[in-house]
Amino acid sequence: MTTDAVEPNRRDFLVVAGNAFAAVGAASLLWPFIQQMNPDASTMALSSVDVDLSPVKEGQAITVLWRGKPIFIRNRTKTEVESAVDVDVKTLPDTLARNDALPVDDPATDANRTIKGHENWIILVGICTHLGCIPKGQAMGDERGEYGGWFCPCHGSQYDTSGRIRKGPAPRNLEVPPYAFTSDTKIKIG
């Protein structure tokens, strides 16, 4: 019967301490390289925008920035909603909804460009689909065109109160960005 136990010696301690020191050193060297691959804080801040809609009265509009693009938000009147709902989609130059939350081939009905229960709110990317201008129609005194929506004075494109192209050279409806209501008066875009 042997009772020889291997006693740790000074050499074992040095090997373990050296390996631990090397692992911590390697991790401290790799951490900055891994960390720099994460998006910048300013980029993270632009990926989504929270908007409080409570100060926007019926008939008013505001513009916010999301990913460097102007986002038109309008609290439509009942008349504006009714005129947008009554449009026959087949008569539109662009019959597609252009809503990032829906399949690409969904029709451009007003219901497909808004969220059920919040039909008075229209949220659009405010860039004319012709040459990338910013259409007028956000301020109270702005020209809104024949259809009461937005008017691009550069080449005469006119959008209705649902942001659909109705007249002019613009080929497509204004885009509907991805958004969701987080409460009755707040939305998150992006």
Side-chain angles (χ1 to χ4, degrees):
M1 175 173 177
T2 61
T3 59
D4 293 339
V6 179
E7 293 285 327
N9 59 26
R10 189 175 195 177
R11 182 180 205 152
D12 293 336
F13 172 76
L14 289 174
V15 167
V16 169
N19 288 340
F21 185 76
V24 170
S28 67
L29 286 175
L30 289 176
W31 180 253
F33 295 111
I34 294 169
Q35 181 65 22
Q36 63 91 23
M37 290 186 226
N38 289 331
D40 183 39
S42 61
T43 304
M44 293 289 285
L46 291 175
S47 65
S48 66
V49 175
D50 293 312
V51 181
D52 182 12
L53 303 174
S54 58
V56 184
K57 306 286 184 236
E58 186 176 285
Q60 290 184 330
I62 61 170
T63 304
V64 298
L65 281 180
W66 173 66
R67 294 183 179 173
K69 300 175 185 174
I71 301 297
F72 291 170
I73 300 171
R74 185 185 285 181
N75 187 357
R76 301 184 297 177
T77 63
K78 289 180 181 173
T79 306
E80 290 175 327
V81 172
E82 288 170 4
S83 69
V85 169
D86 290 342
V87 172
D88 182 7
V89 175
K90 294 175 188 168
T91 64
L92 297 172
D94 181 12
T95 59
L96 299 177
R98 309 284 178 197
N99 186 340
D100 286 347
L102 298 175
V104 292
D105 58 346
D106 273 15
T109 61
D110 190 63
N112 282 345
R113 296 178 58 77
T114 58
I115 291 180
K116 188 173 184 177
H118 302 280
E119 289 84 0
N120 59 317
W121 294 103
I122 187 80
I123 288 90
L124 304 164
V125 175
I127 298 175
C128 182
T129 58
H130 181 225
L131 293 178
C133 309
I134 308 295
K136 292 193 171 289
Q138 286 294 92
M140 293 302 280
D142 277 354
E143 170 81 30
R144 291 186 171 178
E146 293 175 37
Y147 303 96
W150 292 268
F151 173 69
C152 187
C154 304
H155 298 95
S157 295
Q158 297 186 34
Y159 300 90
D160 66 11
T161 56
S162 190
R164 298 172 293 203
I165 184 65
R166 300 295 295 274
K167 193 174 187 182
R172 301 181 333 174
N173 300 326
L174 295 176
E175 300 283 333
V176 178
Y179 72 96
F181 277 84
T182 56
S183 73
D184 283 344
T185 59
K186 290 186 179 176
I187 60 170
K188 182 175 201 134
I189 303 169

